[in-house]
Amino acid sequence: MSALALAVSIQLAAAPVFDIGDLDKSVSPCTDFNAYANGKWIAANPIPADKTRWGAFDELREKSLAAQHTLVERADKSADTATAGSIEQKIGWLYRSGMDETAIDKAGYAPIKHDLAEIARLHDARQIAAWLGQAFARGDGIGFRFGPGADFKDARRQIAFAHQGGLGLPTPDYYSQDEHKDIRAAYVTYLTRLFELTGVKAKLAARKAQDVLAFETRLAKASLSRVELRDPANQYHFMTLAEADKVTPHLDWAAFFKALRVAPGDGFSLSQPKFFAEFDAMLASVPAAQWRDYLAAHAIDEAAPFLSQPFQQASFEFHEHTLNGQPEQRARWKRVLDAVNFSMGMALGELYVKDYFPPAAKARAQQLVDNVNNAMKARLEKLDWMSQATREKALAKWSTFLPKIGYPDKWRQWDGLAIVPNDYFANLRAAAAFNYRYQLDKIGKPTDRYEWFMTPQTVNAYYSAATNTINFPAAILQPPFFYADGDDAINYGGIGAVIGHESGHGFDDKGSQFDGAGNNENWWTKEDRDRFNERTAKLVAQFDAYVPLADHPDQHVNGKLTLGENIGDLGGLAFAYDALQAADGNKPDPMIDGLTRDQRFFLNWARVWRGNIRDKAQLVLLNTDPHAPARFRAVGAPSNMPAFAKAFDCKAGDAMVRSGDQQVKIW
């Protein structure tokens, strides 16, 4: 079907999908568009007790979970008679073992006793370094992160990356800032409880917990912040093994690579040298007993959600309740389903798309992607602040975008992963080792642009700078984001803006530092980069001014941390709006429910971001999340768009109208 014929058929099938009863007409859309579009819904939909937030994304995630639940229950029932070694059998047995609470409780912490005994035998830096390699090799790395990635200077090949890590609290600031002292105290209480559950006497357990906090505090001082880590210059430092050994003389990288059965080639990225220098200094100077406490604490903490009930409860109390304010633990089946997704998510996705993602939806989504990306190209061609030299490079990058929709063209194989019906922890450990081996085996091989890093059942989307791909899993291609045969204005305001957002990441503060081949290369003139930075600085200032919690007036959105996502929103909404005008602008407006085409477009953008969040969870996210709070995403981009003001007849001086020096114009 041609694009025109498709657009006509969709227009004929248009149906009201936005409940105008949700609109709070006591609030002007020009004053607070989020309150106007979402206030009544938020008031009528409190956060469930097993959630830290609730909104459009969460509703759709619950729908996806319900579908997945049907799939794993079916797999469980037929697993014993399923084809031996099939994904249906493995998923069924994995899920069944996770639901066997009697066996899990009976095992206590027996599944990690061997690990703890190994740690207890470490007496010097050499033994600790060797043990780290062994732990990483089985998929249980502690202290830092290590895995494959595209070489920043030659994205065609995969190399090894070593990244900072090893902290039990959300960010380095949690170890030093006074505002987090209560969280630090709760962390020590939690670690004490973990040690006690493994048989350590209370007084000794408390001392061990304090030693772990002291250990991590020192590590935190050498760790970069979330904002600093956004800079590609802080994500890549290529070194030979000999050069890396000079940074970490007590951590033998040749031995580490050998333990992981990985050929180092001509080198790897020791991505945060300052962190690794301190990590190495701690190998030499921190007593082995403190190292043992640190390693044991993390081994128990990571295993706790999958051990007996006392461990599960302790983990929930700290991670979900204390940190994020969640009153109740989620149902057992949901937690086990999380583990299935973590262990065999892409296999479950293969089953998901068979039942829940029709080919027609994929075809319609592809048309929307094409239209939105064409609108993006048109904007790039007409930018008045970008020179022709930079524009040519920008268009060259645009031309190499690879959209991927729904699910992979080729499914991953699971041969070699042994799953049994009656040992949950053994299954999770086998999957962790299997998946980590799968990742390690990429090192030294060509980068696969067609590989997916989200499962089809994930309600999200992403852009990859290394492959210059935009990726839209099947589960997000549903209402309220996407209606396969619905109104164009709703679709462009929902999934269309998401498409534009992900494409926009290719040109945000971080993505713009990579070329179309995925290489970290400067393709901008200095003057254009300066003009770009001037514009994005205004967006930083806009979001810095947002305060999400009235009871915490000193806690602002971090405009630098959220800059990439905010650039994505601003561009994505603009590209989607242009695409809508190109598709429908010359057609009569059907005025569905008394709403104009443009009003429906902006209202669905706001509806996507409707939701509420617990205060504790919001405070954590302000420190950790590169996304701004949802209600500010609902208003942030539209307030910079004259089309929004026109759609709702807003005037200069209204809160939703940013003009003059306050208006952010990038694309």
Side-chain angles (χ1 to χ4, degrees):
M1 182 182 293
S2 70
L4 178 60
L6 182 62
V8 169
S9 69
I10 290 164
Q11 193 65 37
L12 291 173
V17 291
F18 190 95
D19 186 355
I20 59 173
D22 284 344
L23 300 180
D24 185 353
K25 296 187 178 179
S26 70
V27 180
S28 167
C30 302
T31 300
D32 185 342
F33 189 53
N34 182 63
Y36 172 76
N38 298 322
K40 288 177 66 175
W41 184 93
I42 292 169
N45 290 272
I47 305 171
D50 66 343
K51 299 282 188 299
T52 59
R53 54 184 172 185
W54 187 247
F57 273 89
D58 307 284
E59 283 188 312
L60 194 49
R61 286 176 181 132
E62 285 297 302
K63 180 179 178 180
S64 178
L65 279 177
Q68 295 169 55
H69 193 201
T70 298
L71 294 172
V72 295
E73 289 274 8
R74 181 196 306 164
D76 178 8
K77 290 177 182 177
S78 62
D80 294 342
T81 57
T83 302
S86 64
I87 60 173
E88 290 84 356
Q89 183 180 72
K90 291 176 180 179
I91 288 171
W93 280 351
L94 177 57
Y95 179 74
R96 182 190 303 176
S97 68
M99 294 301 292
D100 190 352
E101 295 181 81
T102 300
I104 292 167
D105 285 341
K106 183 178 179 180
Y109 75 98
I112 60 169
K113 280 185 177 179
H114 178 73
D115 299 338
L116 298 180
E118 276 189 347
I119 291 170
R121 291 192 291 268
L122 303 176
H123 293 292
D124 57 37
R126 181 187 60 80
Q127 291 178 340
I128 293 167
W131 182 88
L132 287 170
Q134 295 163 13
F136 269 94
R138 61 175 180 255
D140 294 326
I142 296 175
F144 57 91
R145 295 179 294 118
F146 185 89
D151 188 339
F152 275 28
K153 299 305 178 185
D154 183 3
R156 296 171 299 179
R157 69 169 188 163
Q158 293 282 298
I159 62 169
F161 283 77
H163 290 283
Q164 71 178 48
L167 303 181
L169 295 178
T171 71
D173 285 346
Y174 276 77
Y175 293 87
S176 58
Q177 293 186 355
D178 189 61
E179 67 186 85
H180 301 306
K181 63 182 180 180
D182 291 343
I183 295 296
R184 290 195 292 274
Y187 184 46
V188 170
T189 299
Y190 167 60
L191 295 178
T192 301
R193 177 63 175 153
L194 292 186
F195 281 122
E196 288 176 341
L197 288 171
T198 59
V200 180
K201 299 296 184 183
K203 189 173 181 179
L204 179 57
R207 192 187 75 197
K208 287 175 176 288
Q210 287 288 355
D211 283 348
V212 174
L213 179 66
F215 184 103
E216 292 183 13
T217 298
R218 180 172 170 182
L219 207 56
K221 290 178 181 177
S223 301
L224 298 180
S225 70
R226 294 293 178 103
V227 171
E228 290 170 322
L229 287 172
R230 282 190 50 75
D231 186 348
N234 289 326
Q235 298 172 354
Y236 176 87
H237 286 92
F238 191 85
M239 300 182 184
T240 65
L241 267 61
E243 290 168 337
D245 283 341
K246 291 179 181 179
V247 178
T248 62
H250 301 92
L251 186 58
D252 184 337
W253 287 103
F256 184 82
F257 273 82
K258 184 177 180 180
L260 270 61
R261 292 181 286 122
V262 172
D266 57 345
F268 72 110
S269 174
L270 193 69
S271 298
Q272 293 83 35
K274 177 185 173 184
F275 170 87
F276 283 98
E278 182 66 0
F279 188 89
D280 184 80
M282 292 173 70
L283 278 172
S285 64
V286 172
Q290 193 173 358
W291 266 99
R292 292 194 296 268
D293 292 341
Y294 168 74
L295 296 174
H298 279 266
I300 304 167
D301 174 51
E302 291 174 14
F306 316 109
L307 299 176
S308 60
Q309 183 60 35
F311 288 91
Q312 296 173 41
Q313 188 61 32
S315 179
F316 165 76
E317 285 293 337
F318 177 69
H319 290 294
E320 279 77 44
H321 182 64
T322 299
L323 266 181
N324 291 289
Q326 183 175 319
E328 295 179 7
Q329 193 157 202
R330 291 187 304 154
R332 177 75 192 175
W333 70 265
K334 292 183 180 181
R335 288 179 279 141
V336 175
L337 191 49
D338 280 352
V340 172
N341 271 297
F342 187 77
S343 301
M344 296 188 66
M346 199 56 78
L348 181 56
E350 189 172 349
L351 304 182
Y352 176 87
V353 298
K354 289 179 182 177
D355 285 4
Y356 297 102
F357 191 60
K362 183 169 183 174
R364 175 78 205 283
Q366 181 66 63
Q367 186 64 58
L368 285 169
V369 168
D370 292 344
N371 291 349
V372 172
N373 280 344
N374 285 335
M376 179 185 193
K377 180 186 180 185
R379 286 237 174 189
L380 290 172
E381 289 173 334
K382 295 182 289 189
L383 279 182
D384 59 3
W385 59 265
M386 182 178 282
S387 71
Q388 187 60 26
T390 302
R391 187 190 327 277
E392 289 176 1
K393 297 289 183 65
L395 291 171
K397 179 171 185 176
W398 174 90
S399 71
T400 62
F401 269 144
L402 174 63
K404 295 183 292 187
I405 297 170
Y407 53 88
D409 293 329
K410 181 180 179 182
W411 293 105
R412 180 183 165 187
Q413 299 302 302
W414 297 88
D415 300 338
L417 172 59
I419 298 294
V420 296
N422 54 4
D423 193 333
Y424 188 43
F425 198 86
N427 286 337
L428 296 180
R429 175 152 282 183
F434 181 83
N435 288 325
Y436 194 52
R437 184 76 259 156
Y438 176 79
Q439 296 298 323
L440 293 178
D441 286 345
K442 297 176 185 177
I443 296 172
K445 294 180 180 176
T447 297
D448 181 3
R449 291 188 78 199
Y450 292 88
E451 182 177 15
W452 281 70
F453 298 105
M454 278 183 184
T455 65
Q457 62 272 27
T458 301
V459 181
N460 211 333
Y462 71 98
Y463 168 77
S464 166
T467 56
N468 201 29
T469 58
I470 47 177
N471 308 264
F472 308 100
I476 200 173
L477 298 172
Q478 300 183 70
F481 296 89
F482 174 68
Y483 298 80
D485 56 357
D487 172 38
D488 270 2
I490 294 293
N491 275 336
Y492 280 102
I495 197 64
V498 173
I499 292 165
H501 172 103
E502 299 306 336
S503 299
H505 275 314
F507 298 91
D508 69 16
D509 61 312
K510 182 179 174 181
S512 63
Q513 297 184 57
F514 292 81
D515 64 17
N519 298 315
N520 180 206
E521 179 180 288
N522 181 23
W523 46 270
W524 296 68
T525 67
K526 181 183 182 304
E527 295 76 15
D528 286 338
R529 176 60 72 178
D530 288 344
R531 285 189 282 265
F532 177 77
N533 290 341
E534 288 173 6
R535 283 161 171 75
T536 60
K538 290 184 179 181
L539 199 57
V540 170
Q542 176 182 341
F543 279 82
D544 276 344
Y546 291 139
V547 178
L549 300 172
D551 292 341
H552 299 271
D554 57 332
Q555 297 294 316
H556 295 248
V557 176
N558 187 330
K560 289 184 178 179
L561 177 61
T562 60
L563 179 58
E565 299 300 328
N566 298 332
I567 293 173
D569 282 353
L570 184 60
L573 195 61
F575 306 149
Y577 180 80
D578 289 356
L580 173 64
Q581 305 314 308
D584 287 359
N586 294 322
K587 302 173 187 174
D589 188 338
M591 291 291 293
I592 299 174
D593 285 330
L595 298 171
T596 68
R597 180 183 291 122
D598 286 8
Q599 287 172 338
R600 298 194 306 276
F601 171 85
F602 286 110
L603 282 168
N604 204 40
W605 165 259
R607 179 172 61 162
V608 163
W609 301 114
R610 72 184 179 191
N612 208 348
I613 185 169
R614 300 190 190 279
D615 286 5
K616 285 186 176 181
Q618 185 64 84
L619 289 171
V620 171
L621 292 177
L622 287 176
N623 289 288
T624 61
D625 193 357
H627 304 83
R631 66 188 178 99
F632 298 127
R633 299 186 73 177
V635 303
S639 69
N640 287 295
M641 294 178 63
F644 171 83
K646 182 178 180 181
F648 291 94
D649 197 26
C650 302
K651 309 300 182 187
D654 289 339
M656 282 296 301
V657 179
R658 301 176 64 85
S659 56
D661 289 342
Q662 297 299 310
Q663 186 181 11
V664 183
K665 299 178 181 178
I666 301 178
W667 309 118

